[in-house]
């Protein structure tokens, strides 16, 4: 499995963000989580424009500011500097979370530590480690109309002293082992290896990255995968 994970030498985060961007429709209101999900806005298909919402109280976020033109009053929920587009607006947290809880976000893309066969997600704490808090994830996963998890398929754990790989932890499981963020909320899982839909009958492998096989994905996944007859090739950046 370790060898198969290393097949594609392109940036896995770009692969994931590019594929997740294909899920966006023109005019969607979208919330992008901290880290990898933020990259989705840089890879939207031509002709697709979305409205980015941030739970700290902004609507209509623009791209990262040019060097020397930063405004510290405009940040996303992770504290990263952003711009705000014409007709964009700022408001208080109560309004922001009322917007999310009211079901006005069409899609959210979030990272995760674990996702399981029931669509449960764990993405906020590892027991015994310092935690900043759950943040807006608990509201987004129940308020957004579509919940997309964008994450690396496995977690590579290295020896701090030598840098050598100690083990490879699978992140798509029959049952989450970490404290849950929410139950049964995930609609789609996108990794650098595959696209997996969460359906009532289980996890359905719908697309596989062209540098991998379905067998590679199965080997890197602890949960059981349903393989449909019309399994497709995952579109990836050149």
């Amino acid at each position: 499995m370790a060898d198969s994970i290393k097949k594609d030498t392109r940036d896995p985060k770009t692969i994931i963000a590019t594929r997740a961007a294909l899920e966006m429709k023109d005019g969607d209101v979208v919330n992008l989580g901290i880290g990898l999900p933020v990259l989705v806005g840089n890879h939207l298909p031509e002709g697709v424009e979305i409205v980015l919402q941030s739970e700290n109280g902004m609507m209509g976020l623009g791209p990262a500011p040019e060097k020397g033109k930063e405004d510290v009053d405009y940040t996303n929920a992770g504290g990263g500097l952003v711009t705000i587009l014409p007709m964009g607006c700022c408001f208080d947290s109560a309004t922001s979370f009322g917007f999310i809880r009211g079901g006005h976000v069409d899609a959210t893309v979030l990272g995760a530590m674990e996702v399981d066969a029931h669509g449960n997600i764990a993405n906020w704490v590892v027991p015994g480690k310092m935690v900043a808090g759950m943040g807006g994830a608990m509201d987004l996963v129940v308020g957004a109309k579509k919940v997309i998890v964008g994450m690396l398929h496995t977690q590579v754990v290295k020896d701090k002293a030598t840098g050598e790989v100690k083990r490879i932890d699978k992140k798509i499981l029959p049952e989450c082992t970490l404290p849950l963020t929410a139950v049964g909320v995930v609609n789609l899982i996108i990794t650098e290896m595959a696209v997996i839909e969460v359906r009532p009958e289980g996890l359905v492998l719908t697309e596989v990255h062209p540098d991998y096989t379905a067998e590679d994905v199965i080997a890197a996944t602890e949960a059981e995968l349903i393989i449909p007859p019309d399994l497709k090739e995952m579109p990836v950046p050149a």
Side-chain angles (χ1 to χ4, degrees):
M1 184 180 67
D3 291 338
S4 68
I5 290 170
K6 298 176 182 177
K7 278 187 178 180
D8 193 321
T9 57
R10 289 167 289 186
D11 177 29
K13 293 183 179 180
T14 299
I15 293 169
I16 296 166
T18 301
R19 178 59 187 83
L22 296 179
E23 295 297 312
M24 306 305 153
K25 297 184 289 294
D26 194 40
D28 276 353
V29 176
V30 179
N31 185 294
L32 301 176
I34 298 168
L36 186 159
V38 173
L39 302 176
V40 173
N42 300 332
H43 299 281
L44 293 172
E46 186 175 352
V48 174
E49 293 186 8
I50 61 176
V51 179
L52 290 178
Q53 187 264 354
S54 183
E55 62 261 37
N56 59 325
M58 293 180 69
M59 182 75 73
L61 274 73
E66 297 178 23
K67 190 173 182 179
K69 296 184 179 181
E70 301 91 344
D71 187 331
V72 295
D73 289 328
Y74 293 132
T75 67
N76 59 27
L81 293 172
V82 296
T83 56
I84 189 166
L85 300 174
M87 304 300 291
C89 57
C90 302
F91 34 82
D92 58 66
S93 290
T95 301
S96 181
F97 280 91
F99 188 89
I100 294 168
R101 293 169 185 171
H104 304 293
V105 174
D106 294 298
T108 184
V109 184
L110 299 169
M113 299 171 189
E114 294 177 348
V115 181
D116 70 24
H118 310 289
N120 302 330
I121 178 174
N123 77 340
W124 73 284
V125 64
V126 175
K129 293 189 177 182
M130 186 176 294
V131 57
M134 190 177 290
M138 60 184 288
D139 297 275
L140 284 165
V141 293
V142 297
K145 296 172 184 174
K146 185 171 187 176
V147 176
I148 301 168
V149 169
M151 66 177 188
L152 297 177
H153 206 99
T154 58
Q155 176 69 40
V156 178
V157 180
K158 294 185 177 181
D159 187 287
K160 290 183 179 180
T162 64
E164 295 180 355
V165 174
K166 293 172 62 178
R167 68 179 190 276
I168 298 175
D169 293 338
K170 298 177 182 179
K171 299 173 66 175
I172 304 174
L173 311 172
E175 302 276 353
C176 288
T177 63
L178 297 173
L180 296 180
T181 305
V183 173
V185 294
V186 176
N187 302 112
L188 192 68
I189 305 166
I190 300 175
T191 76
E192 76 282 15
M193 297 181 74
V195 178
I196 300 168
E197 290 185 7
V198 183
R199 299 180 187 174
E201 63 268 31
L203 299 181
V204 180
L205 180 64
T206 59
E207 299 176 18
V208 175
H209 187 292
D211 287 350
Y212 300 95
T213 65
E215 289 71 26
D216 290 330
V217 179
I218 291 169
T221 308
E222 191 165 320
E224 182 178 351
L225 296 175
I226 300 169
I227 313 299
D230 60 341
L231 181 62
K232 297 178 176 63
E233 184 176 284
M234 179 180 173
V236 295

